[in-house]
């Protein structure tokens, strides 16, 4: 009789591989199924990790050309070696995916390579793409197959990944485009657009909404757009793309105002379509298994990540909620704990969100717009990095910290940061909020001087009293 598992995880992105590791640590006999030849999913192979390598490298290139001379470091005009920069990105990916493979072996998790399909109760077929397949049996199945590129609603777009590219192609360009048009002013579009802008491309962002970073705090969005504008990025807000026509060397992007008006066409060397992502649920056998999927393609689950079919669970980008790697990881841990008889839980009110541009944007909790819509009385404390000694010393004085607290209880409801290192600073706010802390708790906590994080303390002081250094 074939070996039977306690758990099979389909997909080895952050949610899937973390779920598998936690389950193995809790004593469950676990296997994973991955369609790629390497583990780690979109995030490690063609998403989060390679994009951060390119973001950092392009930031260093820009700093060498602009910031270092102001600090008295004169090296002349930097020269771009794009091939070597791409090699750094590829080496970073290789190191990370090999690390996941090592963790699978360390935790005695079996790895099956191929397309995983649910073919019956507790049965998963793995097809290798060459006509061969193997069927494996399990008590539980976790679907963690992530998401795919969404495209432009109502517009026929063909991705050749050279002229018309998704985030995947935007990380593989052979040369810096003269003009890149980015369709979508969300996280992916702004991160990758900023990479190529720093390396010398003219970048135009076309966004359907009247603001960038849709769900982000409005004040943060407005100031951040101004900062990116100073870096040379042009914005066409409140505009709907109606066509993308590509040739072998260039493309034309046609768009018109959402509220009505004359259409406009822009010629570009590269068009990056970054309009979001959609759940990847193809070829999983969900319909055959009877698993309920909503109108957006998301798998329906209850509060314990269970689908309507006993023994089948789902986490990450294939279910409702923000499509964030760390959200998927926390869900992976929680569902593994639940299957092991423990009380797995995720606090969705305290999931940080970061935009890894320069400066960074980070947020946790509620925005002012959300609290107004909910009718919650709140108070705000703000502190600019221009009044922070460490920020001035590093020539990183752009941006601010905003702390939002409940007007009656002083409990912190949201923290929003735009500035250098925002993605690291946001976590003290997340810890505070996880324990129901107040603005006064944060403001009275001693922060080392001089640090960028002092701005968080000062903003908290401003929420319940007054900041000291402003």
């Amino acid at each position: 009789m074939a070996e039977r598992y306690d758990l099979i995880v389909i997909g080895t992105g952050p949610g899937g591989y973390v779920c598998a590791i936690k389950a193995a640590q809790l004593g469950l006999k676990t296997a994973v199924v991955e369609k790629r030849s390497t583990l780690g999913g979109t995030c490690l192979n063609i998403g989060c990790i390679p994009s951060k390598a390119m973001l950092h490298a392009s930031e260093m290139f820009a700093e060498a050309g602009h910031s270092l001379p102001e600090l008295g470091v004169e090296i002349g005009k930097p020269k771009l070696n794009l091939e070597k920069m791409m090699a750094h990105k590829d080496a970073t990916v290789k190191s990370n995916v090999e690390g996941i493979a090592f963790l699978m072996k360390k935790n005695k998790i079996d790895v099956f390579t191929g397309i995983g399909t649910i073919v019956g109760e507790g049965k998963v077929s793995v097809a290798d793409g060459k006509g061969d397949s193997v069927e494996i049996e399990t008590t539980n199945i976790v679907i963690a197959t992530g998401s795919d590129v969404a495209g432009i609603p109502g517009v026929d777009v063909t991705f050749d990944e050279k002229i018309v590219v998704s985030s995947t192609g935007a990380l593989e360009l052979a040369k810096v485009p003269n003009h890149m048009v980015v369709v979508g002013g969300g996280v992916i579009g702004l991160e990758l657009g900023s990479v190529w802008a720093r390396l010398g491309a003219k970048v135009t962002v076309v966004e359907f909404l009247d603001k960038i970073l849709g769900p982000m705090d409005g004040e943060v969005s407005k100031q951040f757009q101004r900062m990116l504008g100073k870096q040379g990025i042009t914005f066409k807000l409140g505009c709907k793309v109606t066509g993308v026509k590509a040739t072998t060397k260039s493309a034309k992007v046609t768009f018109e105002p959402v509220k009505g008006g004359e259409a406009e066409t822009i010629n570009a060397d590269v068009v990056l379509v970054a309009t979001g992502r959609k759940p990847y649920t193809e070829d999983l056998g969900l319909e055959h298994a009877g698993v309920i999927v909503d109108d957006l393609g998301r798998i329906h689950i209850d509060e314990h990540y269970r689908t309507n079919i006993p023994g089948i669970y789902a986490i990450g980008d294939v279910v409702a909620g923000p499509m964030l790697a760390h959200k998927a990881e926390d869900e992976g841990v929680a569902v593994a704990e639940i299957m092991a008889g423990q009380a797995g839980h995720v606090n969705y009110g305290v999931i940080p969100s970061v935009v890894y541009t320069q400066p960074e944007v980070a947020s946790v909790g509620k925005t002012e717009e959300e609290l107004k819509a909910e009718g919650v009385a709140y108070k705000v404390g703000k502190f600019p990095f221009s009044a922070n000694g460490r920020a001035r010393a590093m020539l990183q004085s752009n941006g601010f910290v905003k702390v939002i607290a409940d007007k009656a209880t002083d409990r912190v409801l949201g923290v929003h940061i735009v500035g250098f290192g925002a993605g690291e600073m946001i976590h003290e706010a997340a810890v505070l909020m996880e324990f129901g802390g107040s603005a006064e708790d944060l403001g009275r906590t001693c922060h080392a001087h001089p640090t960028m994080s002092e701005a968080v303390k000062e903003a908290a002081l401003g929420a319940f009293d007054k900041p000291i250094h402003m």
Side-chain angles (χ1 to χ4, degrees), residues 134-150:
V134 60
E135 190 173 287
I136 45 181
E137 295 187 358
T138 181
T139 302
N140 299 296
I141 298 169
V142 170
I143 300 169
T145 45
S147 58
D148 200 359
V149 177

Side-chain angles (χ1 to χ4, degrees), residues 37-50:
S37 59
T38 54
L39 306 178
T42 295
C43 181
L44 272 67
N45 286 274
I46 56 173
C48 320
I49 297 302

Side-chain angles (χ1 to χ4, degrees), residues 54 80-87 89 161-163 165 168-178 180 196 199 269-270:
M54 290 297 290
L80 175 64
N81 185 331
L82 185 58
E83 185 177 349
K84 194 166 186 177
M85 190 177 286
M86 289 293 184
K89 181 253 303 178
E161 300 298 3
K162 296 183 184 300
I163 303 298
V165 303
T168 303
L171 290 167
E172 297 288 346
L173 298 181
K175 64 178 182 179
V176 179
N178 291 319
M180 170 182 277
W196 294 105
L199 297 180
D269 301 285
V270 172

Side-chain angles (χ1 to χ4, degrees), residues 8-17 19 32-36 40-43 46 114-118 124 141-149 277-286 293 297-299 312-319 323 328 331:
I8 293 175
V9 182
I10 304 177
T12 64
Y17 83 72
C19 176
V32 296
V33 178
E34 173 55 53
K35 66 179 182 180
R36 286 189 174 88
T42 295
C43 181
I46 56 173
I115 301 293
T117 305
I118 301 170
V124 176
I141 298 169
V142 170
I143 300 169
T145 45
S147 58
D148 200 359
V149 177
R277 298 181 66 82
K278 60 184 179 181
Y280 186 87
T281 54
E282 298 176 7
D283 304 319
L284 290 175
L286 298 184
V293 177
R298 301 174 303 190
I299 297 173
I312 301 179
Y313 301 76
I315 60 171
D317 287 3
V318 296
V319 302
M323 290 184 171
E331 289 178 336

Side-chain angles (χ1 to χ4, degrees), residues 379-383 401-405 458-464:
K379 51 189 179 178
V380 175
K382 289 190 292 186
F383 193 82
V401 179
K402 175 192 280 192
V403 173
I404 307 173
E458 293 274 5
L461 284 171
F464 81 91

Side-chain angles (χ1 to χ4, degrees), residues 402-424:
K402 175 192 280 192
V403 173
I404 307 173
D406 187 281
K407 195 168 186 178
T409 67
D410 195 41
R411 183 169 65 91
V412 173
L413 304 175
V415 176
H416 309 276
I417 308 173
V418 55
F420 180 82
E424 302 297 336

Side-chain angles (χ1 to χ4, degrees), residues 41 80 93 99-100 176 213 241 342 394 468:
L80 175 64
V93 170
I100 302 304
V176 179
L213 298 178
V241 171
Q342 299 182 7
M394 297 193 302
I468 298 296

